Each structure stands twice: as structure tokens, then as C-alpha cells.
């Protein structure tokens, strides 16, 4: 697992920057009713998406929370007074506070099913009846774009995904959240090149291939033999699901 406190300073630059953030925010807002007055962005990271949510809905009150101090500091610089340092499994808000809650690129990072259930439950708890929860699903699978890089990495050890759409839907249903919509958006600037993938491999991006281990180096060697070492392959396409709180 990457140290997101250390990653904070370079996070946006290495994850598609403003172009990716703009696509994410537009897709999220496409699933949020225009009448929503209070929005919560859970796992807001550097606030690059949260700021765009606020800019697009100036009449709404937008709040962000993140567990990582480095990320939260960057988000607070973008949205002063609107960011809290908090665990998404225990949100510091009363029940039924928000008209909409989003969690973009969060569920796949959690340690296991119990944490995913806890986060979904907390997002449901702070939603008002009729409110909407929007989250990314199947994040890891989105990065498989059918490239030669994916063909090399297909043989790597894999961990069980935390955010498959079907599982998230079941957890949501247990909290009174019913399916309300879907959307997709492009991860601009995230198409991997072989050289970049080797660098990511050696800094711990792939959790089942710890840096420095012989198996990781064997994959790095195979990636280094691919053609067009600096040519990015296609961008991933991410998937969103929305759920409406009963009542």
C-alpha cells in the first residue's frame, strides 16, 4: 500500500491532474440532483475534485473529509473551512445531515469487506431520506484497457477487489440505499507507458508485488522489453453507481 501522506504533494500530477478531476466531478454531479443543498465528499484526498464540486454548485455547501493529514492539508488550502480530518468509517456528522454524499476512488483502498460495509453504512447514516450516495466501483478493473502492458501484468498475483459493483450494491441495500443511476468518465492522463509502469511497480503501486522482491523484478524486466517505452496506452474509464436513501 502506498503511503498517501508522502504521496500527497505529487498525487494530482501523477493522477491526471485537473483534466481527470473535471471529468470525475462532472460525472458525480450528473448523478446528484441540482436541488441538493449540502454535499459531502468522503475520502476527498487533495480536494481537487471537491473544489470542482463546489465551483459547479455555488449555492450548495460542500464539505470534504479525509483520513490522511497530508491530503487534508492540501484540500483545506483549496477549500478553506470546508475540510475535516476524519475516518470514513466514523464520520463526525449527525444523522441525516447531507443531501448527497460521494466517495470517489475510496472503497478499493479499504482493508477488507468489513471496512467497505462500515463506510457505506456511514455514508447512508449521514444522508437525509431521499438523499443520494455516489461512489466509484470496480476501480482496479478499470485500469485493464487491453494493452500489451495489461497482457504482461495479467499473470501477477491478485488480491480480492474491495469494490465490485455487485458487492457495493448489496452493502448499500442493507442500509436502505436503492440503485438510482450509473455513469462513466475517462481517467485523463492515466494511460500507462511501460517505463512509468516499471516505476510504479518499484515504488509499491502494485500491492501484491512488493518492491525489490524477485517476482516484482521479473515483471519489471518483461515490461522493460515492450516497445514504445514512453508511449502512454489508452486511459482507463471509471464507473460510478448512485443509490437513493429510502424514505
Amino acid at each position: 500500500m502506498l503511503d498517501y501522506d508522502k504521496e500527497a504533494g505529487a498525487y494530482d500530477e501523477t493522477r491526471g491532474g485537473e483534466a481527470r478531476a473535471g471529468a470525475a466531478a462532472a460525472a458525480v454531479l450528473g448523478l446528484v440532483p441540482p436541488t441538493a443543498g449540502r454535499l459531502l465528499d468522503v475520502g476527498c484526498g487533495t480536494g481537487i475534485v471537491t473544489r470542482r464540486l463546489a465551483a459547479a454548485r455555488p449555492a450548495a455547501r460542500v464539505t470534504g473529509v479525509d483520513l490522511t493529514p497530508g491530503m487534508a492539508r492540501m484540500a483545506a488550502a483549496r477549500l478553506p473551512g470546508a475540510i475535516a480530518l476524519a475516518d470514513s468509517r466514523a464520520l463526525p456528522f449527525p444523522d441525516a445531515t447531507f443531501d448527497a454524499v460521494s466517495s470517489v476512488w475510496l472503497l478499493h483502498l479499504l482493508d477488507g469487506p468489513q471496512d467497505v460495509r462500515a463506510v457505506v453504512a456511514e455514508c447512508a447514516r449521514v444522508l437525509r431520506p431521499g438523499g443520494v450516495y455516489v461512489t466509484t466501483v470496480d476501480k482496479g478493473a478499470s485500469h485493464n484497457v487491453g494493452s500489451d502492458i495489461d497482457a504482461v501484468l495479467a499473470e501477477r498475483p491478485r488480491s480480492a477487489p474491495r469494490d465490485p459493483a455487485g458487492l457495493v450494491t448489496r452493502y448499500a441495500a442493507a442500509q436502505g440505499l436503492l440503485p438510482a443511476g450509473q455513469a462513466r468518465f475517462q481517467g485523463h492522463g492515466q494511460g500507462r507507458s511501460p517505463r512509468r509502469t516499471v516505476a510504479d511497480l518499484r515504488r509499491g503501486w502494485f500491492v501484491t508485488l512488493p518492491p525489490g522482491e524477485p517476482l516484482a523484478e521479473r515483471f519489471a524486466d518483461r515490461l522493460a522489453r515492450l516497445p514504445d517505452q514512453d508511449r502512454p496506452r489508452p486511459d482507463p474509464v471509471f464507473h460510478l453507481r448512485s443509490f437513493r436513501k429510502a424514505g
Side-chain angles (χ1 to χ4, degrees):
M1 177 68 69
L2 295 176
D3 184 333
Y4 283 92
D5 213 24
K6 293 180 179 178
E7 286 278 308
Y11 185 87
D12 294 337
E13 180 183 351
T14 58
R15 306 303 201 286
E18 294 290 352
R20 185 183 79 145
V28 169
L29 290 174
L31 296 171
V32 173
T35 54
R38 293 200 66 182
L39 281 65
L40 175 65
D41 190 20
V42 179
C44 68
T46 66
I48 192 170
V49 175
T50 320
R51 178 178 63 182
R52 285 178 170 269
L53 296 176
R57 297 282 178 92
R61 180 178 173 186
V62 177
T63 303
V65 298
D66 202 272
L67 179 62
T68 305
M71 293 286 197
R73 282 194 298 270
M74 293 189 68
R78 285 177 160 139
L79 285 169
I83 305 299
L85 186 66
D87 191 327
S88 57
R89 298 167 298 182
L91 294 170
F93 307 106
D95 295 356
T97 298
F98 297 95
D99 300 299
V101 177
S102 61
S103 61
V104 180
W105 303 306
L106 171 64
L107 299 184
H108 73 286
L109 295 174
L110 300 175
D111 287 338
Q114 70 281 1
D115 287 329
V116 178
R117 281 195 298 266
V119 170
V120 173
E122 277 294 273
C123 291
R125 179 184 66 79
V126 301
L127 264 181
R128 292 172 179 161
V132 173
Y133 172 49
V134 180
T135 186
T136 43
V137 295
D138 297 315
K139 201 270 186 180
S142 298
H143 286 278
N144 188 338
V145 296
S147 70
D148 52 352
I149 294 173
D150 295 319
V152 169
L153 294 176
E155 298 176 13
R156 76 184 189 276
R158 295 179 183 271
S159 55
R162 307 298 188 220
D163 65 339
L167 190 63
V168 174
T169 299
R170 289 199 295 275
Y171 291 160
Q175 302 301 324
L177 299 176
L178 305 178
Q182 303 182 31
R184 305 180 347 147
F185 64 94
Q186 188 173 1
H188 296 284
Q190 286 194 280
R192 291 180 178 143
S193 68
R195 199 183 310 278
R196 174 180 165 182
T197 306
V198 170
D200 287 341
L201 183 64
R202 287 176 171 159
R203 67 191 184 95
W205 184 290
F206 299 95
V207 295
T208 59
L209 292 169
E213 287 199 359
L215 182 59
E217 286 306 306
R218 286 201 291 273
F219 276 95
D221 180 66
R222 291 175 62 187
L223 290 165
R225 298 180 187 182
L226 293 178
D228 302 318
Q229 280 286 302
D230 294 310
R231 177 176 62 81
R233 277 41 172 184
D235 287 328
V237 174
F238 299 111
H239 300 262
L240 289 170
R241 294 290 177 98
S242 71
F243 304 90
R244 189 174 302 276
K245 187 172 182 176

